[in-house]
Amino acid sequence: RRPIHASTISETLPYAMDLDWFAPEAYLWTLKSTGFVWTCAVLTVLLRWLGSALGWDWVDNPVVCVVTTGIASAYALHADVSAMKWCIVPWLQKVRKLAIMGRTLPFKCFLTVQLMSTF
């Protein structure tokens, strides 16, 4: 094995963070988002099962699924932005380059791509 020299280490750092240590407020937003999205999913499934058992035709309408998905996605995006507010400045102090697929990006473009990965 060849030893790793400082010159061979990338100038970018990994993007993963330990949220409960790094930004406890962001961790709470992450938990809220997860709980809300899973609650929407479970309630949607339960509504479809109950609706099918009771003969409610409207529960099989795709609009019901689109509306619940839209509500869950909107809240997840809101929670992600709220969590990012707590950890973006300290995180940027550690990360020198904002890169996706090896290409350095402006901050706003990088943030948008990262937030869109929620979907």
Side-chain angles (χ1 to χ4, degrees), residues 29 33 72-85 115 119:
W29 274 107
S33 174
S73 298
Y75 185 79
L77 186 59
H78 166 70
D80 283 354
V81 170
S82 298
M84 282 263 206
K85 288 179 186 177
L115 287 175
F119 300 107

Side-chain angles (χ1 to χ4, degrees), residues 3 13-14 20 25 27 29 41 45-46 56 65 85 97-98 114:
L13 296 173
D20 56 342
E25 296 86 356
Y27 187 70
W29 274 107
V45 170
L46 291 175
W56 298 341
C65 188
K85 288 179 186 177
K97 284 186 177 180
L98 302 174
Q114 292 300 314

Side-chain angles (χ1 to χ4, degrees):
R1 284 190 163 182
R2 224 173 64 184
I4 298 176
H5 297 288
S7 62
T8 61
I9 296 175
S10 173
E11 293 179 17
T12 61
L13 296 173
Y15 302 129
M17 295 184 300
D18 188 9
L19 281 182
D20 56 342
W21 173 83
F22 191 73
E25 296 86 356
Y27 187 70
L28 290 175
W29 274 107
T30 304
L31 287 177
K32 288 179 190 177
S33 174
T34 303
F36 186 81
V37 169
W38 276 104
T39 300
C40 285
V42 168
L43 289 177
T44 301
V45 170
L46 291 175
L47 177 67
R48 296 213 43 187
W49 282 344
L50 181 65
S52 294
L54 296 175
W56 298 341
D57 293 332
W58 61 270
V59 295
D60 292 328
N61 192 334
V63 173
V64 174
C65 188
V66 169
V67 168
T68 56
T69 302
I71 291 170
S73 298
Y75 185 79
L77 186 59
H78 166 70
D80 283 354
V81 170
S82 298
M84 282 263 206
K85 288 179 186 177
W86 287 101
C87 56
I88 199 73
V89 172
W91 180 73
L92 282 173
Q93 290 171 350
K94 288 181 70 178
V95 176
R96 300 294 177 224
K97 284 186 177 180
L98 302 174
I100 294 178
M101 296 176 60
R103 187 160 188 211
T104 303
L105 299 173
F107 173 73
K108 286 187 178 186
C109 182
F110 178 82
L111 181 62
T112 302
V113 169
Q114 292 300 314
L115 287 175
M116 288 300 130
S117 68
T118 301
F119 300 107

